[in-house]
Amino acid sequence: MRPSSAVVIVGAQWGDEGKGKIVDVLSENFSLVARYAGGHNAGHTVIRNGKKFILQLIPCGILRLGCRAVIGNGVVLDPMALLREIGTLREAGVSVKGPGAVSSDSAQPNLFISNRAHLILPYHRMIELAAENAPGRVKIGTTSRGIGPAYEDKMGRRGLRVADLLDPALLRKHIANACAEKNMIAHALFNTEPLDADAMYEEYARAAAQVSPFVCDTAVLLNKAIAAGESVLFEGAQGTMLDIDHGTYPFVTSSSATAGGALTGTGVGPTAIGSVIGITKAYCTRVGEGPFPTEVQGATGDELRKRGNEFGAVTGRPRRCGWLDLPLLRYARMINGLSWFVVTKLDVLDELAEIPVCVAYKVGGKKTAEIPAHASGYERVEPIYEKLPGWRKPTSGTNSLEKLPPPARAYLQFIEKETGVRIGMVSTGPDREQTLFLEEFPAQLGTARGTDPVKARA
């Protein structure tokens, strides 16, 4: 694998793998961090100097001086959520400035929003909330923030983009037409109250003036940066198994959460990407409905949830917990073309005497290496487990591979052997410093770190 200054970070499970911290740690070495999919239904949690930041739309690079944060065209953008997030960051002392800002300060622009990103409007939330709660509907477990309906309108070629938000006449006409249609549909199907198109226009016209300074053609920005030799980190949302094409359909998100989404979601060509990093927890979690072969019920699942603080960063919903699923990780390796794994929350397993790991699936009494295409196919899956010895020693805060207990190192080596993907980085706690690296990992990213890397494998 050649070193590259263009790297994709992708979740290798069902999301919530801790991508926020990993992007934050690695962003020290990158000039730009670009978000390529999803909306404000996904939260990335970053702890900096003991202070917690929950970022829903703005990439984690915003927290690094000299790093530019980019919201790509593949993201669906709620202008109100964006402005709230900008306000929260500024209140915390973080500079947030767009390329079109008029100000007397010397701060450089650090937030760029694609003029081609599609918008989430109140009628998207109305439709999704009503549909999710309608009698007889299969519950997907959405956050009801309008993500799915916004992507539906995008694919139906009736969406409103950021560039359109800045055109008052077009904005008024679009909102009037959309409200007439959506109000009729929502009332007929779900008996909901209609939305006021005039009030909506006034609210979003005001928001447009505040969003405008951040808007530009981000595809041009990113391609120029890569051509100039600058380093770019592409930040995904959710995870591989929530991808609209490759996940556990229909219990998935509405966008391309896999590495391929980084290309379509930013306008960067495939030859620009040098490596793809998959983030996986040392165990497994899932939020919402849908298949979960290795889910653990009862006291053990509750203990994993408690030790891992497994509650949604945005919604607060408790996450379902289970054991590491290696067939799933092998699938993620194939779909994303993974170059490396980063393992998070290793310390959550510290107190276990033994750790079951799913090494294969059995369907109808026969061992299989394939992931079911139908969600119902998972009902016939029987996980085959191999039990590994636990370490019963604290690993929290460990920043060197040699300092890990031997069974913990053996656990990581087992994951590598079974998936065929090397582990370049391990997180042993929520803070930036609670991280250990293999020396060759940052080197292969074409970056260099000031911290002491792990110099050898045990």
Side-chain angles (χ1 to χ4, degrees), residues 191-260:
N191 198 31
T192 59
E193 293 298 317
L195 295 171
D196 186 327
D198 291 333
M200 189 186 304
Y201 167 75
E202 295 297 334
E203 181 182 18
Y204 280 80
R206 290 192 296 270
Q210 299 177 68
V211 171
S212 177
F214 301 99
V215 178
C216 69
D217 189 330
T218 54
V220 171
L221 172 72
L222 291 168
N223 280 286
K224 281 185 176 179
I226 292 171
E230 293 190 79
S231 53
V232 181
L233 187 63
F234 295 90
E235 172 186 6
Q238 288 94 27
T240 298
M241 300 309 294
L242 292 180
D243 183 270
I244 186 67
D245 289 300
H246 304 292
T248 50
Y249 191 89
F251 301 97
V252 292
T253 191
S254 302
S255 59
S256 297
T258 45

Side-chain angles (χ1 to χ4, degrees), residues 45-102:
T45 302
V46 176
I47 297 178
R48 187 180 70 166
N49 299 326
K51 185 176 179 62
K52 180 187 287 189
F53 294 86
I54 297 177
L55 301 168
Q56 296 175 258
L57 283 165
I58 301 175
C60 302
I62 200 75
L63 301 176
R64 293 278 189 187
L65 287 175
C67 186
R68 285 164 286 171
V70 178
I71 297 177
N73 57 274
V75 174
V76 284
L77 188 75
D78 183 323
M80 303 309 173
L82 171 72
L83 294 174
R84 286 194 299 270
E85 193 167 329
I86 290 172
T88 300
L89 286 169
R90 285 174 172 167
E91 287 173 8
V94 178
S95 173
V96 185
K97 185 177 180 180
V102 178

Side-chain angles (χ1 to χ4, degrees), residues 168-427:
L170 193 155
L171 178 64
R172 183 185 288 278
K173 181 179 180 181
H174 182 97
I175 287 178
N177 291 340
C179 280
E181 175 187 318
K182 307 296 185 184
N183 283 338
M184 186 183 301
I185 292 171
H187 181 74
L189 294 180
F190 314 116
N191 198 31
T192 59
E193 293 298 317
L195 295 171
D196 186 327
D198 291 333
M200 189 186 304
Y201 167 75
E202 295 297 334
E203 181 182 18
Y204 280 80
R206 290 192 296 270
Q210 299 177 68
V211 171
S212 177
F214 301 99
V215 178
C216 69
D217 189 330
T218 54
V220 171
L221 172 72
L222 291 168
N223 280 286
K224 281 185 176 179
I226 292 171
E230 293 190 79
S231 53
V232 181
L233 187 63
F234 295 90
E235 172 186 6
Q238 288 94 27
T240 298
M241 300 309 294
L242 292 180
D243 183 270
I244 186 67
D245 289 300
H246 304 292
T248 50
Y249 191 89
F251 301 97
V252 292
T253 191
S254 302
S255 59
S256 297
T258 45
L263 309 177
T264 57
T266 63
V268 170
T271 55
I273 306 299
S275 59
V276 182
I277 302 170
I279 316 298
T280 174
K281 283 177 180 166
Y283 49 103
C284 208
T285 62
R286 177 166 194 165
V287 171
E289 306 297 325
F292 190 171
T294 63
E295 184 173 10
V296 180
Q297 305 285 357
T300 302
D302 292 340
E303 185 61 23
L304 282 174
R305 186 176 302 109
K306 178 182 176 182
R307 285 185 53 78
N309 190 28
E310 296 296 355
F311 299 90
V314 173
T315 64
R317 290 187 295 178
R319 296 174 185 140
R320 299 154 63 191
C321 296
W323 304 121
L324 191 64
D325 188 329
L326 294 179
L328 183 152
L329 292 185
R330 296 184 196 111
Y331 181 74
R333 175 200 65 197
M334 176 184 72
I335 293 298
N336 294 294
L338 295 180
S339 315
W340 295 93
F341 272 134
V342 171
V343 177
T344 62
K345 294 197 172 184
L346 182 70
D347 54 301
V348 174
L349 304 180
D350 284 354
E351 296 184 4
L352 298 176
E354 63 178 15
I355 306 169
V357 177
C358 175
V359 296
Y361 292 160
K362 187 184 292 184
V363 178
K366 295 182 179 180
K367 190 175 178 180
T368 179
E370 293 188 13
I371 298 289
H374 294 282
S376 60
Y378 283 89
E379 297 173 4
R380 300 188 297 274
V381 164
E382 178 186 346
I384 300 173
Y385 288 104
E386 185 168 332
K387 292 183 178 180
L388 302 183
W391 39 95
R392 306 298 294 271
K393 293 181 180 178
T395 62
S396 180
T398 303
N399 57 10
S400 169
L401 190 64
E402 292 92 341
K403 294 178 182 177
L404 287 177
R409 297 199 299 269
Y411 186 76
L412 297 173
Q413 290 165 354
F414 184 78
I415 295 171
E416 288 187 325
K417 176 176 175 291
E418 290 291 322
T419 62
V421 181
R422 296 195 68 187
I423 295 171
M425 180 176 170
V426 180
S427 174

